[in-house]
Structures are given as C-alpha cells and as structure tokens.
Amino acid sequence: MRRLFNLSFRYKVPLWGSVLIVVAALTVSAALMAQAYDDLRNDLLTSSAGLARTLAKNLFPVMLNDEVWRAYEIIRAPLHGEQADDLIQPEMILALDQQQKVFVTTQPNGVPMLADVRQLGAEYAQLAERIAAPATSDAAAVELSGAHKIYVAVPISDDGERVGTVVIVHSKDKFLPRFRSKALRATLTGLLVLALLLPINWYWGQRMAIPVVQLARSIGKVAQGRPAEAFSTAYPYQDELGQLFEVYGMMVKALHDKKLMEQEMIRSERLAAIGRLSAGLAHEINNPLGGMLIALSNLKRRGGHDERTLKTVAMIERGLAQIKDSVSAMLVEAKVKSRNFGPQDVEDVHTLLSGEAHKRPVEINIDSDLVTSLALPANLVRQILMNLLLNAIQAAEEYSTVRCTMRQSTERLSIETENTGPPIPEEVMSHLFEPFASGRENGHGLGLWITYQIVSQLGGQVAAESHDGLTRFSISLPAGENI
Amino acid sequence: MKNLIAVVLAVLAVICIAPANAVEEPTTPLRIGLTPTFPNDQYRALEEWRRYLEQRLQRKVEFIRRDSYIEAMDLLRLQKVDFAWICDYPFVFFKDQVRLLAVPLYHGRPYYQSYLIVPAQDSQTTSIAQLKNRVFAYADPYSNTGYLTPRFELQQLGESPAHFFSKTFFTWGHRKTVEAVAAGLAQGGAVSSHVWDTLAKVKPELTAATRIVSKSPEYGFPPFVARATISDAEFNAMQRALLAMSQDEFGRRLLGGLNLDGFVAGDPHFYDRVDQMIRAYGKP
C-alpha cells in the first residue's frame, strides 16, 4: 500500500482520477440497475394486483357454489397468452379456500388440489401466515424476503364475506433475462463513458503532474548543490503551482546572485591583499633602490674609471631604472594632486590613441556627454581611459569599431568600453584584474591591475563581461562637481 | 267532416291489421336443443348442419345450446324447444314426457360406452376402486356415462359414491372432463366414449394426456327426442330428415364431422340397461 502512495504524481494523479471515475461509473450503473429492477418489479406487482382483483371478483360466486371447473376456467384464462417472454404472465395462479387449502390451481400436477398450502414448502407456509393475518386492505403484494418467487395475494370476498384467497405467483427467473439485458445496456454505457473519460483523465493528470515533477527534480538538484536549472517549459498560469514556479525562480536567482557576490568578494579581497603586498614590496624596494641609484650617480661623477667599469655601471643603472619603472607602475599612487578631469581630456585621449587605432586598423567611437569638468584627478582618469581603450583596440577584430560611452550624473561618472572579437577565456576572466594575468605576449600585464587599483582608490567599481563576441568593461566613479 | 273521420278510421284499421298478419305467418322456426352429448364447440360444423336441416325441412331451424342436461330437459318440458339431443339418462328418467325421435349410429350401432380415464402420468390405476380419496370429475348430474355409470360401479363395489372421493366436481361437458383430467385437476373422470374417441381424432394431444382405465358395458346412444306435444307432421318430417342424412353426400359429410354414421328410428329397449341402473341405484 505504501508503495502505491509513494508513486510519482505522474502516475498517482491519473491513477486516483481513474479510480474515482470507475467508482463513480460503477455507482451510477448500480443505481440505474437497482432502479430498473424496482421499476420492473413495481410494474409487475401493479398489473398482477389488478389481475388478482379481477379474478377474485369472478371467483367469488364460483367458489361459493363450489364450482371447481368454472374456477379453473377463470384462473386459466390469463395464462393463455403463451408468450414466453411476457413479463406479466404469471407462472401459476392459485385459489385457496378459507382453510388455506388449494381450491383450484393452474398447475394441479405440481400443487395438488385440496393440499394444505402450508405443506407446500417454506415460502408457501410463510405466505399462508401472511394471508391469515387480518387483512388491512383488499389487495396486497406479499413480499417474502429471500423468496425465489413473487406472490400477489388478494382475498376473494364480497361485502365482507371471505371465501378464500387468490394467489398469483410470478417467477423471478422470468424477469432476470429482461433485467439482464437492461443491466447489459447500463454496463455498456458505463464502459463507453469510461473509454471516453479515462484517456481524458490520464491526459489531464499527466499535464498537472509534469510541472510538479519537474519542480521537485529541480529543487532536489538545488538541495544537492548542483546548478539550478531554469525551466524551458514555463508554467504560464497564476494558480498555486504558478506561484510556486515564480518563487522557485526567485530562489534560483537569489542563489545565483549570492554565489556571484561571494566570488566577487573573494576576488576583491584577493586583489586588495595583492595591492597591499605590492605596495609594501614597492616601498621596501624603492628605498634601497633610491640609495643604489644615488650611489651609482656619485660613482660616475667621481670619474677616473676605465671604460669597462663605466659600461658595467651604465648597465646596472639601466637595470635599476627598469626595476624602478616596474615598481612605480605597480605602486599606484592616487593621492597625487592633479587638476580636474574635463571634456578636453577626452579629446586628448582620442587623439593620443588614434595612431594606435590606425595601425590595427579599428575605429574609435567615443560618445561623451561631459560638458564640464568633474572633481576627479585628470591624470588618473586619463590613465584608466587609455588602459581600457588600448586593451580594446588590441583585442578588437580588424575593421571593427571600439566604442566608449561616458555618462555624467550628479554624483557619478560612468565609463563603458566595448569591443568585438574573441571573448576573454573563463580562466583569465577570474583573475582578470590581477597583475600579469593577461595572456597576451606584448604589454607588461599591469594595465588592468593599475586600472583596478585606481578605481578602487577612487572609491568606484569596475566590472568586466565578455560573451557573444562582445567584451565590455564598465566603470563607475563617484564624483562631485568642480572642487 | 264525416268523410275525413272515415278515412282516418280506414287508415288506422290498415295500420293495426298489418302487424297482426305478420305475427300469424306460419314460419315459426323449429327449435332444437343441443347439449354437450357431443363435442359441441364446433360452431362452423353446427351451422352447416343447421342450414342443411333448414333446406331439408323447408323451414327455419334454430339451435339452442345448453350446458346442462336438466336445462335442456326443462326447455323441452316447457315447450321452449321442439326437439333436443339429450343424454340417455334423462331420456330414461323423463321418458313419459318426451318422444324418442331418432338414435345416432356410432360405429354403425346405436350404442356407446363410458370410459374411466386418469391422467396419462398415472400408470398404476386399473380400476375405479383405486381412486379412493382422490379428486374426481363428473360431467353432469344427468349424464349416464359421465355420472351415473361411475357411481353405479362404486355402489356395486359396496362403496358410497358420496364419500368415496375426497372431492368431486361437475365440468358440464365430457370434453371439459377430459381437459380436467389431462390437466391433473382431477385424478379421475368418466366420459362418453363417443366424445373421447372424437377428441382423439381432432385433438389427439388432449386425449394423449389421459389414459383409459376401463370401459363400461354398452348403453343406448344419447337420443334425439321430441316434446310430447309435438305434432305428428313435424315429428315425422324431422325424423325423416335425420334418417335420410346418411343417404346424400353432404349429409354424410356432416355426419362425419359429428363422428357419426347415421340415424335410426330407435327403440326404447336400447335403454333398458340404464333403466335397470336407475332402478338399482335410485333416483339421482
């Protein structure tokens, strides 16, 4: 039984529906059959009682005169119809005298004349008892429970004087075939209804169950920590199931956002750590480096060195200078005082990059609504713009357009660069803003790192996305007006 | 005015006289009473016979059917019928009040018998003595073969006919007695051999449901009688018509339908045996 209840809704819903339909069909059929049986029986009793009354009226004078043959002719008359399937045709008619003895019968061979009716069997004994009971009405169908026959008994009396009883006996076997044919018809109708309803029910059941099953499976996946799936077959209705789907969608989205946020947090923490590390490292390197460079400068100034020594010193100087460059590149110093960033800077950047763009060749399209200067350090914002656009130019397909959109609002400056071309691989994407993360051969791999450092130090956000052949960097910087 | 009265009187006279003439016309039909001495339910055959007699007698003939012999006898004695075909028992019983007209010939002889019959299922019974405390069907209290004979036999056996059977009833016809026994309503019955034999021809399935246990001695066949007051002319004309039936083709066919061979004038001595039985047994 439990296994039955554990079945999938896909089977349980149509199965229960089918059970209900079958039960309903059976109940209705049974009720109809019972009704048909009752109707048949009532028809029979009504007509039989009428016949019995007529016979009783005719039998009264005949029995009073002890005319057995006349009585026989009277009770025999209704049996001459000889139609085998005539429902109303009695099986036997009896006339009993006052002592409950058979006065005459249509079946003298089975029920002999003068026989005491009480000796003819249990049913007749019961019948005799009922007949002997004081008559309340002039006609009565005698109901014997569990009897194989139906008895209709009417007193033969006139003006209160009773000379006997006429009993009409109907065999139940006779209306069984009739009832059977009615029952068969009811059954066929029931089967037809079932044949019609069951497939419809099955279809509806499946339709109702499939979304639930899908939902259950998806929630199961989520619970197991596997990626939640969005539904291809959305459930378009606003019932409870629809609400469930909506809530499920919201839950999936929240989980997704949460995961993204976690990743973002990890990434920014990592970047901050790297930043701290690199800044500390740069300071540690810069101090001795400065000392070394001064020492070398003093050494050259003293003179008296041979050619070979001078050459070596120059080589060391160049190496140290390169280290200084690299270290200062990593050590982004946002606190340097600078003028405000203005529309002129945008044009400068455009001009500076046009040569580079020409080489690829790509077109640069800068769309800026900047009309006044902003309280942002111009050199840093220019560096951001340069870095992003240079990256874009290098990544863009030939003869494509690199777009840059700048929007100024009361509190923010938003910059967006876009280029077409192969997307940034997934593994690069997760370490995009870390130093030396780019997969490119040329460039020192610090452009985006520097951009990230500048944006973070200015209190802004930077985001990158790359899909469908389009790579986009979005930057948002907090800005006041004209400090 | 006088002339007018005379005309009115004349017209009234004519109107009154005309119906009187119609009533006095000598075409009163001959009325013949019939009883269940034979299987008298063949309406078509009887109608043909009636027309035949009308043609022979040149007179209107009416058949008046009665189920009981005593009723037919009453009609005779009250002169409501002129002739009647009655049983031999009432003939002997009332012989001073009727005239013997003709006796039918059955198997060429004016005699018949009483058959004691039982249902065909009853293969045990060989005599009426074995039917004690059974239900017995009589034809008519004025029937010889259907009443007097079995009661006489019982008396000869030293039994009391009134208490021998558990129940008896009258069927008012030999044919009905056969039906009652065939149906099992009665366990025994006594019938005219003529009726049983005729039924065996026309309705063999009915007689097949019965079995003849014994046959009585021969009695004079149920006769045609005339009321005592009948005129000789009418008596002779009717007697001639009946006796002549066997002499023409159509008459023979009618006799065949009645399962008879012809008629003879008859003799009251034919009925001596019934007379003896009545004397021995007493009045019914």
Side-chain angles (χ1 to χ4, degrees), chain A residues 25 62 75 87 91 109 207 236 242 327 335-336 394 432 435 439 464 482:
Chain A
V62 173
I75 62 167
L87 189 66
E91 186 182 67
N109 289 325
R207 234 188 110 111
V327 169
K335 293 183 182 91
V336 183
Q394 276 154 20
L432 196 63
N482 298 324

Side-chain angles (χ1 to χ4, degrees), chain B residues 216-236:
Chain B
S216 72
E218 288 185 331
Y219 307 109
F221 205 91
F224 263 82
V225 296
R227 59 181 160 92
T229 52
I230 196 90
S231 71
D232 284 346
E234 283 175 328
F235 184 90
N236 292 335

Side-chain angles (χ1 to χ4, degrees), chain A residues 66-70 72-73 76 103-109 112-114, chain B residues 67 121 135 166-172 176 179-180 182-185 187:
Chain A
D66 200 25
E67 294 258 27
V68 175
W69 178 254
R70 290 275 144 84
Y72 179 69
E73 284 183 322
R76 191 178 58 167
F103 178 76
V104 73
T105 158
T106 53
Q107 283 181 7
N109 289 325
M113 305 255 304
L114 303 177
Chain B
D67 266 356
Q121 302 98 294
V135 179
S166 65
K167 187 176 184 70
T168 61
F169 59 87
F170 293 108
T171 63
W172 310 103
K176 290 174 182 175
E179 281 180 28
L185 198 62
Q187 279 112 43

